[in-house]
Amino acid sequence: MTLDETLLNVPLFAELSEEQIQRITVITRKKKYPKNSVIVFENDPGDSLYVVDSGQVKVVLTGEDGREVILSVLSEGDFFGEMALIDDMPRSANVIAMEESRLIVIYRDDFHRVLEDQPRIALGLLRAMSRRLRSADDKIGGLVLLDVPGRIARLLIELADEGDGTKISRRITHHTIGQMVGSSRETVSRTIGNLSERGILNVTRKYIEIIDRTGLEAAAGVR
């Protein structure tokens, strides 16, 4: 996939013409990060937007005891650091490469110059931020109202909805799912095994498939 095609698949730039996208590509830079390397540290100065060109990264908060809570897992076409394009606040979380990853970087000063000529980008930015705020509200509600199996079920639905709503093909381990819902790998494995035994999920080595969407939604407390 070309750089232009990658950016067109990013919600932030989806409404732009090919000519406008080409003006964006001029100000981009590419960086490679090996597996387990830190891309940004929490509290670092925020001065750039990142788009995942290839690979997979995780956005995490780390407690004083070293325990990680994963806020999200991002892959090709996903982006982070958009808040840095608006304010001068430091980074709010760590971002770590889960595998060798290549990222597209757009610095704030360059972005502002383009924004003056392409104001439609601002609308895409607002829409993207709105979606993330809604997602954050859902996650907070899930943590408060749902038990661990319910949180796992809801996360599986969210992951499936990134595609066709049925199959989860994202490369994600039970340990990572546990970090995303605030539980242990063992509990995740037990819950997914139980859902599989009940005929709600079909679990293979390459993907998880939702067989009974209604049953999974019931487990997730979705009405």
Side-chain angles (χ1 to χ4, degrees), residues 156-168 209-211 213 216-217:
L156 293 176
I157 292 172
E158 292 173 359
L159 293 173
D161 285 345
E162 292 177 353
D164 61 4
T166 299
K167 187 177 293 185
I168 302 168
E209 183 179 12
I210 300 175
I211 303 299
R213 172 93 181 198
L216 190 60
E217 289 178 343

Side-chain angles (χ1 to χ4, degrees), residues 7-15 77-79 124-125 127-128 131:
L7 293 180
L8 278 170
N9 286 325
V10 177
L12 187 59
F13 307 119
E15 297 184 11
D78 292 327
F79 62 95
L125 182 60
R127 286 176 174 170
R131 282 193 295 271

Side-chain angles (χ1 to χ4, degrees), residues 108-123:
R108 180 173 55 215
D109 291 345
D110 294 330
F111 182 82
H112 283 180
R113 284 193 289 270
V114 172
L115 190 60
E116 291 177 0
D117 295 330
Q118 311 290 343
R120 293 184 66 182
I121 297 177
L123 181 58

Side-chain angles (χ1 to χ4, degrees), residues 82-170:
E82 68 276 9
M83 295 295 292
L85 302 180
I86 299 174
D87 58 33
D88 295 319
M89 300 298 289
R91 301 291 187 186
S92 58
N94 303 302
V95 182
I96 302 170
M98 301 177 70
E99 56 189 58
E100 184 175 336
S101 303
R102 184 171 64 245
L103 279 77
I104 299 166
V105 187
I106 301 176
Y107 288 97
R108 180 173 55 215
D109 291 345
D110 294 330
F111 182 82
H112 283 180
R113 284 193 289 270
V114 172
L115 190 60
E116 291 177 0
D117 295 330
Q118 311 290 343
R120 293 184 66 182
I121 297 177
L123 181 58
L125 182 60
L126 289 172
R127 286 176 174 170
M129 292 177 64
S130 177
R131 282 193 295 271
R132 294 206 169 171
L133 285 173
R134 290 180 186 276
S135 177
D137 287 344
D138 289 341
K139 287 181 179 179
I140 292 170
L143 288 172
V144 173
L145 301 175
L146 296 175
D147 57 13
V148 172
R151 297 202 295 271
I152 294 171
R154 179 168 292 189
L155 177 60
L156 293 176
I157 292 172
E158 292 173 359
L159 293 173
D161 285 345
E162 292 177 353
D164 61 4
T166 299
K167 187 177 293 185
I168 302 168
S169 54
R170 183 188 286 270

